[in-house]
Amino acid sequence: MEANTLDRIQFAFTITYHYIFPQLTMGLAPLIVIFKTLAIKKNDERWNEVARFWGKILGITFLFGVVTGIPMEFQFGTNWAVFSKYAGGVIGQTLAMEGTFAFFLESSFIGLFLFGEKRLGQKLHWLSAFLLFVGTWLSGWFIIATNAWMQHPIGYEVAADGSVHLTSFWSLVLNPWAIYQYMHNMGGAFVTGSFAVAALGAFYVLSKRQVEYGKLFLKAGVIAGCISSIWMLFPSGDLQGRMVAKHQPVTLAAMEGLFHSEEGAGIAIIGQPDMEKKRLDNSIIIPNALSFITYQRWDAHVRGLDAFPEDQHPDNIPLLYYSFHIMVGLGTIFIAIMIVAAFWLWRGRLYDSNWLLWILMLLFPFPFIANTVGWMVAELGRQPWLVYGLFRTEHGASHMVSSGNVMFTLLGFFGMYTVLTLLYIFLMLRCIEHGADELGISTQQESNL
Amino acid sequence: MELIWFMIVAFMLVCYVILDGFDIGAGIVHYFVGRNDAERAAVIRSIGPVWDGNEVWLLATGGTLYFAFPALYAAGFSGFYLPLIMVLWLLIMRAAGIELRHQLEHNQMWTAFWDFVFALASILLAIFFGAALGNVIRGVPLNAEGYFFEPLFTHWGTTGETGILDWFTVLSGVVAFVALAVHGANYLALKTEGEMNERSRMVVKYGWFALVAVTIASLGAVMYVRPTLLDNYYSLPIGWLIPIAVAASLAAIYYFNGKGNDKAAFLSSSVYLAMMLGGAVFGLYPNVLPALDPAYSLTVHNAKAGEYGLSVALIWWPIGIIIALCYYRFLFKTFKGKVVVGEEH
């Protein structure tokens, strides 16, 4: 394999693995603020227990996010040196701001939140939870702004040496692409967080352990999950889709599997892209829907892949197509299930509906999948460009680093992350086994000592 | 403008080395200071709430280097490909050691395993960081395009086809190892009581002689490998204050250690680290990554980013750092005082 291919695999693998953790911490952080608020407002110690329990989960997950996140910043330089030299003056800016404004905030207040409750008192403890939430969401902003510049570069000029120089700070930081992508991405993280809370609640109620806490988890998880999964479709998903349609029309065509330009183009619900015959096999299509969603007219002209030169096409169209369809399919299922669950909750029937609890419990891995394929849509959709329209992926890798050396580190990451996975699963199962209430008892014992 | 950013990056690097230096140092002396499970738990607890924030300085420095000197970031990180990726693995292992140890606090096999991982990763990290600095001082085989690649080792010499490790960079690694051990022991002396405090002071007391020896050896080696490092000192004689400060801080470590003033001893080892790094940085300027062939050296002038980006960052950077220092003050204030052996997490 060529070094460039291995560089791509290594970055894709390490970033995909990394993002398992931040999506959960960014999803849980606002929920914990809500739990702490409920505990103080209602003067209900149970919500404090809930906050402590999810705080423990968040603490472990945060650690895994940190250790798998450091390699991401490094790899821009180690594996993508030519790209870094080209674009570092622009995207280095947002990455440095992430370190300065978000990481210091997160790392200080995670320690205070996890270990400082007794020393800080309830109000300051609430404040640390809140600042931890702000830190994780700020961090998300700077990463999205970095990615948004690569998707939709603005506010730059090409200097004499061929590299790009920043010309407008606010264009970089408040890129319109970043605003919609952020809305969609953070909604996705909130889906992961709330579904995890609901799933564990369902597990506790079904297994008849910690039932009281299970019900609290379910209540919070279902309400938050219902709001966030609808948010993913409208307005955030819709707005994000329009950005793609406007600025990356060839990507839209590839996502939808639209090989030929059409008036009144339809949306394929399922079907397999046949790259040789340039068509979708076994497709089920909603007529005219794509035209309407994209241009708000049933008969609008939508450009298919054939409207663009081949060297502009994303280089893995089937994977892009499937990623997009899995994301949308899962998102639709999430909305349906959460609306039913919220209705049952309102009618007071949720805790006794075993079938629904089973579904909520088994649903927990799927938001992770939906978020992952969502990012695959963004990143595969950007190909063949590293910086859209400006700089091709094939030119970005470090050419002094040989393929054998990249293979060595790639295998090393495989091994390292396998160990991390086992540890994470083990620690999570242990937390779930202990549950919220046992934690509460041990905390009380501590304060009695 | 580039001089300002050169100094900012140097400042952040010094902050990183002093701050993460003490928790890496605590890892180096982990087994010396913590003789049993409860004591080693106390070592971990003394750095528990702060190590992550300390490590953020590495990320913030990396990010700043990235946008201020993109060509340096690109050349340095790809050229040091193998050791940097190994540093990443060591950082992962060390973080796991610190944070996972207390998850099963009463399982002796679990804690013993993570103690070992934590100590080993800390020792190797200190040596790697020292060797990296050694490479920068020695110079690297940059080509006309501004890139290079070094294998881990070749013939262990400082000329020709160099590797990451040679006699000089290994010596730099040893200096870092000894210096951080003393620094970490000073921190632990400050944070612990009783026997742990006494043992930490012993490490400083005996480590001090090794530190003086390797410091002198490394200064001699620098004169031999890169005599041009002194040019800036001759042209700007105020620079000679730096080696004087190194000597003074060394003397202060010994003096305050003997007096039992752990805080002053810790501050002295912080000054020592700052001055050692500052001395190297002062001598290197305007080079940021000297090449074995001087014509290809990366300097602040040919590695810097665009003028607008650098000036706009001069607005947000001080704001961000001042806010960060406020968090730090609050964090260290909340967790101030000594850790007690046997206390629950």
Side-chain angles (χ1 to χ4, degrees):
Chain A
M1 260 191 274
E2 279 182 48
N4 185 289
T5 311
L6 287 163
D7 286 316
R8 285 182 70 179
I9 294 174
Q10 180 168 304
F11 203 92
F13 169 69
T14 49
I15 193 77
T16 305
Y17 187 81
H18 168 63
Y19 196 59
I20 293 171
F21 305 107
Q23 62 175 294
L24 186 56
T25 47
M26 291 189 300
L28 287 178
L31 285 167
I32 288 174
V33 176
I34 294 172
F35 299 153
K36 287 291 311 178
T37 311
L38 287 170
I40 293 171
K41 285 253 169 198
K42 293 190 167 181
N43 197 16
D44 185 345
E45 186 56 22
R46 288 179 315 162
W47 283 111
N48 253 335
E49 297 284 13
V50 173
R52 268 178 222 129
F53 174 79
W54 287 102
K56 196 171 160 67
I57 303 261
L58 178 119
I60 295 169
T61 311
F62 186 85
L63 171 75
F64 281 75
V66 168
V67 298
T68 57
I70 298 173
M72 303 324 305
E73 188 188 279
F74 273 53
Q75 281 183 89
F76 280 110
T78 52
N79 295 67
W80 298 93
V82 180
F83 164 67
S84 287
K85 192 173 176 176
Y86 169 77
V90 178
I91 63 160
Q93 190 101 210
T94 35
L95 292 174
M97 289 175 80
E98 185 194 25
T100 313
F101 289 100
F103 288 159
F104 281 120
L105 184 62
E106 288 177 84
S107 61
S108 306
F109 286 95
I110 184 104
L112 287 162
F113 174 73
L114 290 178
F115 305 120
E117 187 170 354
K118 272 181 278 176
R119 293 187 186 213
L120 290 171
Q122 281 305 314
K123 281 202 178 132
L124 280 175
H125 192 237
W126 180 90
L127 187 68
S128 359
F130 182 74
L131 289 174
L132 176 62
F133 154 61
V134 172
T136 57
W137 280 50
L138 260 183
S139 175
W141 177 264
F142 289 116
I143 291 303
I144 294 283
T146 306
N147 186 259
W149 189 83
M150 291 162 70
Q151 300 279 359
H152 178 51
I154 50 173
Y156 68 92
E157 66 182 9
V158 180
D161 65 352
S163 67
V164 283
H165 286 181
L166 189 66
T167 56
S168 165
F169 176 74
W170 293 111
S171 300
L172 172 68
V173 175
L174 298 177
N175 188 333
W177 188 291
I179 293 168
Y180 298 123
Q181 196 180 358
Y182 187 71
M183 286 164 65
H184 198 55
N185 183 72
M186 301 319 278
F190 202 60
V191 167
T192 298
S194 41
F195 278 50
V197 173
L200 192 55
F203 171 72
Y204 281 153
V205 172
L206 282 171
S207 61
K208 301 196 169 39
R209 302 163 37 207
Q210 318 243 345
V211 176
E212 199 185 345
Y213 289 98
K215 287 179 179 172
L216 291 179
F217 290 0
L218 270 169
K219 195 168 161 185
V222 166
I223 295 172
C226 187
I227 296 167
S228 56
S229 43
I230 294 172
W231 166 266
M232 290 312 281
L233 174 68
F234 189 84
S236 77
D238 182 48
L239 290 167
Q240 175 72 25
R242 284 188 208 183
M243 287 303 281
V244 174
K246 190 171 165 195
H247 298 291
Q248 299 182 354
V250 58
T251 305
L252 180 79
M255 279 156 57
E256 301 282 359
L258 188 70
F259 285 96
H260 306 288
S261 304
E262 273 180 57
E263 318 271 322
I267 281 182
I269 303 293
I270 55 168
Q272 293 79 37
D274 182 334
M275 295 310 294
E276 283 69 41
K277 293 184 182 139
K278 309 273 181 218
R279 64 169 195 212
L280 280 182
D281 294 337
N282 317 310
S283 57
I284 297 177
I285 290 179
I286 308 176
N288 300 72
L290 184 59
S291 288
F292 183 76
I293 287 179
T294 318
Y295 299 107
Q296 289 73 52
R297 279 186 296 113
W298 292 105
D299 59 348
H301 177 83
V302 183
R303 281 177 289 171
L305 284 166
D306 60 356
F308 305 92
E310 283 221 2
D311 69 344
Q312 314 264 321
H313 288 190
D315 52 13
N316 198 335
I317 292 173
L319 190 57
L320 173 58
Y321 167 90
Y322 289 123
S323 301
F324 177 66
H325 280 75
I326 293 169
M327 174 183 79
V328 174
L330 285 176
T332 312
I333 295 168
F334 293 166
I335 294 173
I337 294 172
M338 276 299 171
I339 287 180
V340 173
F343 186 71
W344 255 240
L345 178 71
W346 177 54
R347 305 296 300 166
R349 283 153 55 189
L350 178 64
Y351 306 136
D352 307 315
S353 306
N354 279 1
W355 63 275
L356 191 50
L357 294 178
W358 269 96
I359 292 176
L360 286 175
M361 179 179 80
L362 295 177
L363 208 54
F364 92 89
F366 291 95
F368 289 98
I369 295 172
N371 273 288
T372 302
V373 291
W375 268 106
M376 284 169 70
V377 173
E379 299 301 272
L380 289 167
R382 197 189 63 226
Q383 305 301 327
W385 305 98
L386 237 171
V387 183
Y388 203 81
L390 289 180
F391 189 93
R392 285 182 173 266
T393 308
E394 62 194 296
H395 299 144
S398 314
H399 45 64
M400 301 286 284
V401 181
S402 69
S403 59
N405 280 302
V406 185
M407 180 74 94
F408 171 76
T409 56
L410 177 61
L411 294 174
F413 275 112
F414 282 155
M416 192 62 103
Y417 286 4
T418 306
V419 176
L420 286 185
T421 307
L422 294 174
L423 282 168
Y424 186 74
I425 293 173
F426 168 69
L427 291 167
M428 283 299 118
L429 290 177
R430 229 178 125 263
C431 278
I432 293 169
E433 187 69 28
H434 279 220
D437 197 34
E438 253 179 272
L439 261 182
I441 289 163
S442 67
T443 315
Q444 276 167 14
Q445 281 172 343
E446 260 182 45
S447 51
N448 291 341
L449 281 173
Chain B
M1 184 63 71
E2 50 268 37
L3 175 61
I4 296 173
W5 282 103
F6 179 79
M7 287 177 3
I8 285 179
V9 171
F11 164 77
M12 295 180 82
L13 191 65
V14 166
C15 286
Y16 171 69
V17 170
I18 291 175
L19 289 168
D20 213 25
F22 77 67
D23 62 61
I24 289 175
I28 297 175
V29 300
H30 191 44
Y31 281 102
F32 290 100
V33 176
R35 288 290 166 83
N36 57 41
D37 189 68
E39 289 182 351
R40 286 195 283 272
V43 171
I44 301 280
R45 252 197 343 274
S46 75
I47 60 170
V50 294
W51 74 270
D52 184 20
N54 294 343
E55 213 166 280
V56 168
W57 283 94
L58 177 66
L59 285 170
T61 311
T64 309
L65 195 66
Y66 192 12
F67 85 78
F69 302 106
L72 168 63
Y73 192 79
F77 277 49
S78 62
F80 296 140
Y81 184 81
L82 286 174
L84 274 183
I85 301 279
M86 289 177 189
V87 161
L88 292 174
W89 296 341
L90 290 170
L91 288 173
I92 293 174
M93 286 164 60
R94 208 176 82 92
I98 298 170
E99 290 294 325
L100 300 187
R101 187 192 195 280
H102 65 81
Q103 296 289 339
L104 272 71
E105 214 157 15
H106 303 296
N107 183 328
Q108 301 269 325
M109 278 176 75
W110 176 268
T111 54
F113 176 74
W114 292 117
D115 277 335
F116 179 75
V117 169
F118 168 58
L120 180 72
S122 300
I123 290 167
L124 290 177
L125 270 176
I127 294 172
F128 266 78
F129 282 138
L133 185 65
N135 270 272
V136 174
I137 292 171
R138 183 204 61 206
V140 293
L142 282 162
N143 64 18
E145 277 190 294
Y147 295 106
F148 71 99
F149 181 84
E150 275 194 320
L152 281 180
F153 52 85
T154 49
H155 51 67
W156 303 89
T158 56
T159 51
E161 202 172 304
T162 52
I164 301 288
L165 298 176
D166 57 37
W167 67 265
F168 175 71
T169 60
V170 169
L171 177 63
S172 311
V174 173
V175 176
F177 171 79
V178 178
L180 294 187
V182 169
H183 188 51
N186 269 331
Y187 177 76
L188 289 179
L190 184 61
K191 291 295 282 186
T192 56
E193 312 173 309
E195 286 182 22
M196 286 180 75
N197 172 280
E198 281 165 30
R199 282 199 291 267
S200 304
R201 286 181 187 171
M202 290 295 274
V203 173
V204 177
K205 191 176 166 191
Y206 292 110
W208 185 83
F209 292 100
L211 185 59
V212 172
V214 293
T215 305
I216 293 169
S218 73
L219 291 179
V222 169
M223 296 308 106
Y224 174 74
V225 171
R226 183 163 286 279
T228 52
L229 206 69
L230 288 183
D231 292 353
N232 281 350
Y233 288 88
Y234 290 122
S235 57
L236 201 62
I238 198 169
W240 291 108
L241 286 176
I242 296 174
I244 294 170
V246 169
S249 59
L250 275 173
I253 295 172
Y254 192 79
Y255 174 77
F256 289 119
N257 176 256
K259 287 268 176 188
N261 186 342
D262 298 322
K263 192 169 188 177
F266 176 68
L267 291 176
S268 306
S269 56
S270 304
V271 172
Y272 168 81
L273 291 173
M275 288 303 134
M276 284 291 274
L277 269 173
V281 164
F282 182 83
L284 281 172
Y285 186 83
N287 289 315
V288 282
L289 190 60
L292 292 175
D293 177 349
Y296 298 145
S297 287
L298 286 176
T299 66
V300 291
H301 308 293
N302 65 16
K304 69 169 174 174
E307 202 65 24
Y308 170 82
L310 291 180
S311 38
V312 78
L314 266 190
I315 300 169
W316 63 254
W317 187 87
I319 299 173
I321 288 298
I322 289 168
I323 300 175
L325 292 175
C326 294
Y327 307 147
Y328 256 74
R329 208 183 125 69
F330 186 59
L331 181 68
F332 277 83
K333 222 174 117 186
T334 306
F335 293 107
K336 73 163 188 243
K338 301 206 178 237
V339 291
V340 181
V341 177
E343 203 178 52
E344 291 278 326
H345 213 293

